[in-house]
């Protein structure tokens, strides 16, 4: 089968032929329908985070192809999303379904498929346990793959911020790419807050408006962007800022536009640092650094999509074009989410 492999940091991925894997006892073989192309993969490709080689793709959905010995409750052909952050499955936190915060994370063999273990940018993928499968109902698995990260990650961040997102509150979303375009939809589906979207790319801002953002601000000139956002939110400041970039200028911008007793959530892994001084961020601001989401939250995301309340804007490409697709993502030339389809 064809697979997109991480080889070594600093090198582009390679598309190679591999034998189709066989599920060991307790495992499930997935026939991949789609694997989302996440900006985190660029961090994985650029930095020596995991020893290679392994197959990329941590945002996966498809159909059950075969069950390893002892696996029950699923049958060939079932449409599923793969829950991506693979925890130990046994600790207290994993038992609450929040494997994204597994207590044993430091001693796990990898963070998940595509993040140290073989992932979904291939025709088939091994899922180590059926507990990591979430039924997709009548959703098309290729189109639904981004729900497992591009939607789950902002959903988890937004759910934890709901008590701030009341009528009359302002929420600022920075970075309207794969995660951000889902965040806009999730905020519109779940909250009455007024939504201000920021990006450095006017096309992404037009996308945000099409998805329901109330205001958009180009943040290329951060000083002007801070003034513009402050003009919109007034003395109260933004109740919530969600940073899907996490670079120094976006973290600084978010810290300057949130109000007192607000919430500042940094999701992006853009290498920035949050500076602290008295009243900066303002007093009462809660800072959050969420990672991915829980299994039950993935079920909630899928339910939102099944209800037609959110939908990933997907550009599909064949696996063979992976290297080019990563380059397009790096250059900001992907609209919504790219999905590789074997
Ligand atoms: P993406 O490339 O699809 O989107 C990034 C968006 O940010 C683009 O629209 C781009 O124009 C915009 N942008 C870039 N620099 C900007 C700047 N300085 N100011 C304003 N906008 C800017 O990326 P994605 O897949 O949505 O991922 C976003 C970030 O979230 C990445 O850093 C990724 O690694 C991270 N991430 C974190 C988690 C987590 O659990 N914490 C999960 C998934 C992804
Ligand atoms: Zn990701
Ligand atoms: Zn655990």
């Amino acid at each position: 089968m064809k697979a997109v492999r991480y080889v070594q940091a600093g090198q582009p991925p390679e598309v190679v032929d591999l034998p189709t894997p066989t599920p060991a006892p307790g495992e499930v073989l997935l026939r991949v329908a789609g694997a989302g192309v996440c900006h985190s993969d660029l961090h994985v490709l650029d930095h020596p985070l995991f020893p290679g080689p392994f197959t990329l793709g941590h945002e996966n959905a498809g159909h059950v192809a075969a069950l390893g010995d002892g696996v029950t409750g699923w049958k060939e052909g079932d449409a599923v999303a793969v829950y991506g952050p693979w925890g130990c499955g046994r600790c207290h936190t994993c038992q609450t379904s929040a494997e994204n915060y597994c207590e044993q994370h430091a001693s796990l063999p990898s963070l998940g498929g595509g993040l140290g273990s073989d992932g979904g940018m291939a025709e088939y993928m091994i899922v180590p346990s059926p507990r990591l499968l979430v039924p997709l109902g009548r959703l098309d698995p290729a189109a639904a793959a981004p729900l497992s990260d591009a939607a789950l990650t902002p959903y988890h961040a937004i759910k934890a911020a709901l008590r701030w997102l009341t009528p009359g509150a302002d929420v600022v979303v920075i970075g309207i790419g794969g995660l951000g375009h889902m965040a806009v939809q999730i905020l519109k589906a779940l909250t009455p807050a007024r939504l201000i979207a920021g990006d450095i790319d006017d096309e992404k801002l037009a996308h945000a408006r099409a998805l329901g953002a109330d205001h958009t601000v180009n943040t290329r000139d951060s000083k002007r962007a801070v003034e513009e956002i402050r003009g919109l939110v007034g003395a109260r400041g933004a109740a919530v800022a969600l940073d899907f970039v996490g670079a120094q200028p976006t973290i600084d911008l978010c810290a300057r536009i949130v109000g007192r007793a607000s919430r500042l959530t940094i999701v992006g892994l853009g290498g920035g640092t949050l500076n602290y001084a008295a009243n900066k961020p303002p007093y009462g601001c809660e800072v959050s650094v969420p990672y991915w989401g829980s299994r039950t939250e993935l079920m909630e995301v899928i339910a939102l999509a099944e209800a037609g309340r959110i939908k990933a804007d997907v550009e599909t490409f064949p696996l063979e074009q992976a290297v080019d697709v990563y380059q397009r993502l790096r250059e900001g030339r992907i609209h919504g989410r790219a999905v590789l389809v074997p």
Side-chain angles (χ1 to χ4, degrees), residues 3-16 41-42 44-47 52-54 56 121 320-328 330:
V4 181
R5 303 280 278 178
Y6 166 90
V7 185
Q8 201 180 304
Q11 271 184 34
E14 284 178 8
V15 183
V16 299
D41 287 343
L42 298 179
V44 170
L45 287 163
D46 292 346
H47 305 287
F54 59 86
L56 287 159
M121 291 186 180
E320 290 76 3
Q321 283 180 24
V323 175
D324 177 51
V325 173
Y326 278 119
Q327 191 53 32
R328 290 177 58 143
R330 208 182 272 285

Side-chain angles (χ1 to χ4, degrees), residues 39-40 43 149 177-179 199 219 244 250 267 269 290-292 337:
H39 202 109
S40 296
H43 305 314
D149 179 9
L179 272 63
D199 202 292
T219 59
F244 292 103
T250 59
V267 177
L269 304 170
Y291 175 67
W292 224 323
R337 195 60 142 186

